[in-house]
Amino acid sequence: MNPSPTARRALAVVAASLLLTTGCGGSSHASQKPSTPGGRGASGSASADAPTGASAAPRSTTMSAADAVPADLQQFYSQQPKWASCTSDSSGPGWTCAKITVPLDYSDPAKGTTYIMATRKAATGPASQRVGSLLLNPGGPGGAGIAYAQDPSVVTKNVAAHYDIVGFDPRGVGQSDPVRCLSDDTAAMDEFVSADPMPRTDAQVAEVVKESQAIGKACEQKSGRILPYIGTPNAARDMDVLRAVLGDQKLYYLGKSYGTYLGAVYAGLFPQNTGRLVLDGAIDPTLTAKQMNIAQAQGFEKLIREFAADCVTQSGCPLGTDGNTAVDKLMTYLQSLQDHPVPTHDGNRTVNYGLGLTAVLQVMYVPQYWGDLRDALSAAMNGDGTRLLQWADLYNDRTNGTYDNQTDANIAINCLDRPDPDAENAQQIENKEVPDYKTQAPLLGEMLAWADLSCATWPVKPQTQPAPIT
């Protein structure tokens, strides 16, 4: 799950400063955006994989210099894209953008091509102090790197003086030949993200099964051409093409959350091309999807308890004044929204259990937002869910009545990277996974158990398995 934009910026500034003092990163990996609590996303936790040798990597050879690039890939490494003014109004002065052509399948470039969009801004310091290009990834999977890089608060002025700042939308994401499933159908997407995060009755289970199947079918119908090729190993190979196109001998990189896994996979595939990597929020890539899901559920539960403990010390806390009952009051209220959704000022939209829980989890990352969450909960308990809906929309990337494709890409990439073999169908999840998860994470484990349902019927087979990155 991604923190709010402001939270991401604050953390990234700290991380990027390390690029001036640290050396090469290696085998780390980090947590990803979990499934939307109201939707059936893929592998709610840090569900990315290390490639398992040649079985996960179409090419097991390391490409460390131009003469090591296979002949059928030379056209991609030697291309000279046209950098021109960006079309985005928010890019600001100094930013240029370009389209980079990459093969759909690095093991068989004859299958066709796709493209990634990138943006860059030249280092602001003296040319003699320039280190190289710094690639950024904000997480996800599915996070759009172009807008992230163009935010002036992401890196310090000192870092920007030494590096050309480069953002890119990974394959399948944002402006880069995006995967489309439900995100271009607002009504269908609203229904998906609002689905019950913890179904209990047969009717509720049937509904989430329907929603989970719907997104896979939509992806296959709308994006079947690129769907098998958007896993993390191919995205890492794209970064090596981008490194060469930028004219750099080494890759310098800042990755947060899922971006740490992308960076670690790159280092495993291209160790000789790896420069300074900052991997912020890393998790062991050998962990299974289930282990990561449970760990993320436990992490969120810890934060919810801390929020509740803080809330009861504040005047007007909607959870009361007793720290022993505050968490129960919060969860009971959120659950009540499934049968009694609260209205908002946004037309006919309401906040139900899924959206309410999404809003709470979105705010958990940064304590300075907890006051806003207290106010949002107070307003909702008094009949106005508008602020909760705004937080949920921020997480779900819904702006002005439309969605970007982050949720589509998140699920599509996760289902390729890290499936859960113990979550083959709804019955298996309900009878085996849910009890296991709830034992270790009683508040949110059930939600994360159901998060794998979309991958159970995903139209493309997974491509990697958990393994060390050496």
Side-chain angles (χ1 to χ4, degrees):
M1 183 174 185
N2 290 327
S4 67
T6 305
R8 284 201 297 265
R9 294 171 200 146
L11 293 170
V13 167
V14 175
S17 67
L18 298 175
L19 286 156
L20 298 177
T21 58
T22 58
C24 170
S27 59
S28 298
H29 167 198
S31 62
Q32 296 173 305
K33 175 177 179 177
S35 74
T36 303
R40 301 275 67 81
S43 293
S45 174
S47 53
D49 285 316
T52 312
S55 63
R59 295 183 180 275
S60 59
T61 56
T62 297
M63 292 176 285
S64 59
D67 57 5
V69 176
D72 56 1
L73 296 179
Q74 284 283 1
Q75 61 177 313
F76 303 105
Y77 275 77
S78 61
Q79 66 184 295
Q80 297 181 349
K82 297 180 180 179
W83 294 90
S85 298
C86 302
T87 58
S88 170
D89 294 335
S90 61
S91 59
W95 289 98
T96 57
C97 290
K99 179 187 290 187
I100 315 298
T101 302
V102 292
L104 269 178
D105 184 351
Y106 278 86
S107 66
D108 187 2
K111 287 183 179 178
T113 64
T114 182
Y115 63 88
I116 58 173
M117 292 297 298
T119 186
R120 71 176 178 182
K121 186 175 185 180
T124 58
S128 61
Q129 296 180 12
R130 179 182 178 275
V131 178
S133 302
L134 172 61
L135 274 65
L136 307 179
N137 183 277
I146 290 178
Y148 182 69
Q150 291 174 350
D151 186 323
S153 64
V154 167
V155 298
T156 63
K157 291 182 179 179
N158 193 27
V159 171
H162 288 79
Y163 292 89
D164 297 346
I165 304 302
V166 178
F168 66 102
D169 289 353
R171 59 169 58 202
V173 175
Q175 301 178 45
S176 296
D177 198 3
V179 168
R180 288 292 182 185
C181 306
L182 298 178
S183 59
D184 56 354
D185 184 339
T186 298
M189 196 67 178
D190 281 344
E191 187 173 359
F192 179 77
V193 300
S194 299
D196 191 338
M198 302 184 198
R200 304 290 171 82
T201 67
D202 289 344
Q204 290 170 343
V205 171
E207 179 64 23
V208 298
V209 169
K210 184 189 78 171
E211 293 298 326
S212 296
Q213 293 173 340
I215 195 165
K217 291 178 181 178
C219 277
E220 185 175 30
Q221 180 182 14
K222 300 175 184 178
S223 302
R225 177 178 175 270
I226 63 173
L227 203 60
Y229 306 108
I230 61 171
T232 298
N234 276 333
R237 289 180 171 81
D238 293 343
M239 289 204 303
D240 200 55
V241 172
L242 184 53
R243 172 200 59 78
V245 166
L246 292 167
D248 292 327
Q249 292 296 315
K250 298 286 186 179
L251 180 85
Y252 302 106
Y253 175 80
L254 164 62
K256 294 177 76 289
S257 190
Y258 160 80
T260 69
Y261 175 63
L262 178 58
V265 169
Y266 179 90
L269 290 172
F270 304 100
Q272 301 305 315
N273 297 348
T274 299
R276 298 173 181 173
L277 269 63
V278 170
L279 308 179
D280 185 339
I283 293 178
D284 184 352
T286 66
L287 297 179
T288 66
K290 184 173 182 177
Q291 288 171 320
M292 291 185 179
N293 289 350
I294 291 173
Q296 186 154 27
Q298 292 171 335
F300 275 122
E301 290 184 10
K302 179 177 181 291
L303 289 170
I304 287 174
R305 292 189 173 95
E306 290 178 357
F307 165 75
D310 176 75
C311 183
V312 298
T313 67
Q314 309 294 327
S315 61
C317 172
L319 306 179
T321 59
D322 186 351
N324 294 319
T325 61
V327 172
D328 288 341
K329 286 185 176 181
L330 173 62
M331 299 308 294
T332 298
Y333 171 71
L334 293 174
Q335 291 163 7
S336 74
L337 294 175
Q338 191 61 30
D339 295 323
H340 305 285
V342 63
T344 72
H345 295 166
D346 189 352
N348 295 322
R349 300 180 70 201
T350 60
V351 174
N352 66 356
Y353 185 12
L355 292 175
L357 184 55
T358 300
V360 170
L361 297 184
Q362 169 70 8
V363 185
M364 284 299 100
Y365 284 96
V366 186
Q368 58 256 42
Y369 296 128
W370 289 1
D372 189 272
L373 179 58
R374 289 195 305 271
D375 294 342
L377 287 168
S378 294
M381 291 177 183
N382 285 288
D384 182 5
T386 302
R387 187 57 185 148
L388 283 182
L389 184 62
Q390 291 171 346
W391 280 111
D393 283 351
L394 178 62
Y395 174 75
N396 291 324
D397 302 293
R398 189 185 194 276
T399 306
N400 298 324
T402 62
Y403 289 88
D404 71 12
N405 88 315
Q406 179 166 323
T407 297
D408 292 342
N410 179 267
I411 297 173
I413 295 169
N414 278 343
C415 286
L416 287 183
D417 278 0
R418 185 176 296 275
D420 184 351
D422 295 326
E424 295 179 350
N425 52 58
Q427 184 177 8
Q428 192 174 32
I429 291 174
E430 187 174 20
N431 295 337
K432 184 180 185 300
E433 295 295 275
V434 167
D436 287 349
Y437 275 71
K438 288 179 69 174
T439 297
Q440 300 180 69
L443 295 181
L444 299 175
E446 186 173 356
M447 178 194 80
L448 272 296
W450 283 106
D452 283 331
L453 188 57
S454 291
C455 291
T457 57
W458 199 247
V460 180
K461 292 183 179 180
Q463 298 176 346
T464 54
Q465 295 295 330
I469 298 177
T470 56

